[in-house]
Each structure stands twice: as structure tokens, then as C-alpha cells.
Amino acid sequence: PPLELLHRSRTWLPAGEDHNGLNDRHWLAPRQAARVLMRRWEALLDGTALTAMHGSSDVTKVTPQFASSEMYLRHLAKHQGLGIARFPMLAYLACCEEVYRDSLGRPIGSQQSMNAVLSTGEGASVGARTCFQAHCNKKRCPLAWPLHWRNSAPLHWHRVHTSAWSVQLQLRDADLARRRRNGGGSQTCEFKYDDEGSSAILNAQLLAMPGAYLAVGDGLPARIEIHVPARGPLTAGQDANRTAKMYFCRNCYDPARLDKSSNLSAGCVFDNYPYAAQGLREAAHAVRNTHRCRLFDARLMRQLCDSFSRSTDRPDHRGKTYGAQYFPWWCRPESIK
């Protein structure tokens, strides 16, 4: 996200993949916070980690317990009083088959991953795998121009400065039609972790909508949202100038209740925060419907999920639409309420 949106009092992480800790793959941090984050090994050696995890550096007074990299990061950030904020997930880790080879030099493919082993050392003799997550997830890419697309220069239709939606939509439709003729629009994105890749695809699709932009969210937690101006016919009582505010934090740290500690690191809205009184419609809706980590406008959410459908799709046991089948946390009918 643009640096001018990121307050220097917080360390910024992608929204999602916390796994009861904090996402450990990408940070934008002020210098003071960076010193803490980049010295986690020193904290293990000098006893700071014990104090952060157990409240004491005396090894005779603590009980060993499992802590992932994400969990350790959250405890250390909390101990040092670091404030955390989130921005929309817009990137993902590539599949192992694209970057690793096994001990015999073979590419690690999804179907042969159980036979793929370390390239050196005793791991090869016991069949240890090179990649922790060998499965490769594959889903339709967003219709927006991917960064690696080089066939022709894209039209930046969403940046056209005009109040006439029709002009933007005509440019968009011509752009997408050209992509489809050239084989675009049905490309497959391949990624290592399902939730991470799915979040990135959906956020990219949102940002491809006319007029969409990143903006600082109001209220807590500290976050960047995707805002999309209302378009199309409105029902009675709807504000023509209303902007839909979208924010997803899949597998985010979600303590539910606001207090001094949770305010530092939570990625989802709080049950005991006055969103409704402050006019924060999407956040209040999320609390009422107990999906604190998904802030959305229902109408836009349905439009987003439907945008992945193609005429050749068929229903199956997972759902009736492509969105319900491949993005269930976001797009199943019961998720949009």
C-alpha cells in the first residue's frame, strides 16, 4: 500500500495467516519496531523470549509449550508494546514445484511431492521432504491485469478521472474482452497456501472494480480497507454517494474483546466496541452476524463472488457456483449475511 496511508506508530502486516500469532512473512515497520522484529534470535539467547512467552526468565518456573514462528512473534511484539496494523493481502507464496527440486534433480510436482526429498544430507535417506507444504493450490486469477502480463500495455481504466461510470465501464469491458480474446481472463493462479492465495485473488479482484482504492479504516483494529463507490441502480433509501468498505482477515488473531493488550495486535473487529454508534456500518454488521474478520457490503460481496463464474461452471457437492466452491469462507450463501 502507499506509504502515506501507513501510520508510523504501527507495524503493518498483510491481513491474514496469523495462525494464533502474527503473520511472519512481510512487515513494514518503523525503525524502533524493526529492531525488535529482526532480533528475535538474540531474544532467545538473552532470556527475553522466555519472559515474553511465560512471564519469567527463570527456566525452573516455566512449562515448555509449543510456539510457532507466528505465535512467538505475537508474544514478543506484545512484550515490547508494539502496535500492529493490517493491510489487504495482495501477494502469496509460490508453489514449491516452481522453486524446488528433489535429491535427484526432479522438479517437485503436486502429484510426486510425497517422493520429493532433501537434496543433501541424511534427509535423502529417510525420505524427508524439501517442502513443508508440497500441495499446490490452483484457482482462477482475478480479471485485473497481472503484473507479468506483457502482450500489450494495459488500460488503467480504474484511474480515469471522471464522474461518468459509463466511460470507465466501457474502457474496462473493452480491456477485459481483449484479454479474453488473447487467452486472458481464465488464467490459473498457483500458490502454496490456500487462504493466503484466495485472499490475494479476491482483494485484487476488488481493486480492479471501477473507482476502487485503498483507504485507512475507521475505528479499531488499525487497518487499511478497500473502498468501492456504489454503482448501478439503488434501492429505496440507499445513498447514491455511499462507498462500500471491504476488509478480510482470514486466520487473523481474533481475541474478540477489546482491552489494552488486544488493541495492540488484533486483526478483527471487537464485540465491545461502539461501531454502530460511530456509524461504521460494515463493522457493526460483522459484530451482529459474528463474522468479525470479514467486513463487507453484502451486495458488493455477491458481485465479487459472481465475477469468478463462467458459463461452463457446474455445481457440485461444494456449492452451486465457482465462488462457493473455491472461496467458501467468503462466497458461500451462508457467509454473506
Side-chain angles (χ1 to χ4, degrees), residues 6 22 25 39 76 100 135 143 189 296 320 323:
L6 309 182
L22 294 175
R25 295 174 195 154
R39 292 177 175 172
L76 191 61
Y100 289 110
H135 174 70
L143 285 175
C189 288
F296 59 85
K320 295 182 179 180

Side-chain angles (χ1 to χ4, degrees), residues 258-317:
L258 173 63
D259 57 36
K260 184 177 180 180
S261 174
S262 64
N263 184 36
L264 289 175
S265 51
C268 306
V269 297
F270 300 102
D271 286 336
N272 59 330
Y273 188 85
Y275 297 104
Q278 296 182 13
L280 305 180
R281 186 173 62 90
E282 286 84 358
H285 179 266
V287 172
R288 283 197 307 271
N289 291 276
T290 63
H291 50 71
R292 289 184 303 271
C293 300
R294 290 183 291 125
L295 278 62
F296 59 85
D297 174 90
R299 179 182 177 185
L300 182 60
M301 194 70 202
R302 294 187 186 95
Q303 179 186 342
L304 171 65
C305 293
D306 289 345
S307 68
F308 290 95
S309 295
R310 306 290 183 269
S311 60
T312 54
D313 292 343
R314 296 293 181 268
D316 62 20
H317 66 282

Side-chain angles (χ1 to χ4, degrees), residues 45-57:
L45 299 179
D46 65 19
T48 303
L50 271 178
T51 303
M53 293 291 299
H54 302 281
S56 173
S57 60

Side-chain angles (χ1 to χ4, degrees), residues 18-235:
D18 284 350
H19 298 290
N20 204 34
L22 294 175
N23 189 314
D24 62 353
R25 295 174 195 154
H26 182 191
W27 312 317
L28 290 115
R31 189 173 298 276
Q32 182 177 358
R35 281 196 290 267
V36 175
L37 299 170
M38 301 302 291
R39 292 177 175 172
R40 288 176 292 164
W41 176 252
E42 286 88 342
L44 287 169
L45 299 179
D46 65 19
T48 303
L50 271 178
T51 303
M53 293 291 299
H54 302 281
S56 173
S57 60
D58 186 344
V59 295
T60 66
K61 297 180 179 180
V62 301
T63 302
Q65 62 184 32
F66 170 79
S68 65
S69 172
E70 292 92 345
M71 295 165 66
Y72 173 40
L73 179 61
R74 179 171 65 82
H75 282 284
L76 191 61
K78 175 184 173 182
H79 178 67
Q80 298 290 349
L82 302 186
I84 305 297
R86 307 304 199 290
F87 57 84
M89 181 84 70
L90 286 166
Y92 52 73
L93 294 179
C95 296
C96 289
E97 60 190 39
E98 296 186 8
V99 293
Y100 289 110
R101 292 180 179 271
D102 69 10
S103 62
L104 299 178
R106 300 172 299 184
I108 297 176
S110 297
Q111 302 305 316
Q112 66 187 58
S113 58
M114 294 305 295
N115 297 320
V117 298
L118 293 171
S119 58
T120 58
E122 64 178 77
S125 64
V126 298
R129 284 186 290 166
T130 306
C131 181
F132 173 76
Q133 168 65 18
H135 174 70
C136 186
N137 296 281
K138 302 179 181 182
K139 299 184 182 183
R140 284 175 185 158
C141 291
L143 285 175
W145 281 83
L147 293 177
H148 60 272
W149 191 269
R150 294 290 183 265
N151 284 0
S152 60
L155 286 172
H156 296 292
W157 52 266
H158 58 291
R159 295 180 183 174
V160 175
H161 296 287
T162 175
S163 59
W165 285 120
S166 60
V167 174
Q168 296 192 38
L169 293 173
Q170 288 171 14
L171 286 170
R172 182 197 66 172
D173 292 343
D175 190 11
L176 299 183
R178 181 168 58 254
R179 280 199 63 199
R180 289 193 178 101
R181 286 196 302 271
N182 293 333
S186 296
Q187 288 182 306
T188 299
C189 288
E190 303 180 359
F191 42 92
K192 188 174 181 181
Y193 297 114
D194 187 32
D195 291 335
E196 182 179 67
S198 297
S199 297
I201 289 171
L202 287 162
N203 285 327
Q205 188 85 329
L206 271 176
L207 284 170
M209 292 183 173
Y213 59 96
L214 295 170
V216 177
D218 294 323
L220 299 174
R223 65 195 183 279
I224 299 295
E225 301 173 333
I226 298 175
H227 289 188
V228 184
R231 50 172 285 234
L234 300 175
T235 59

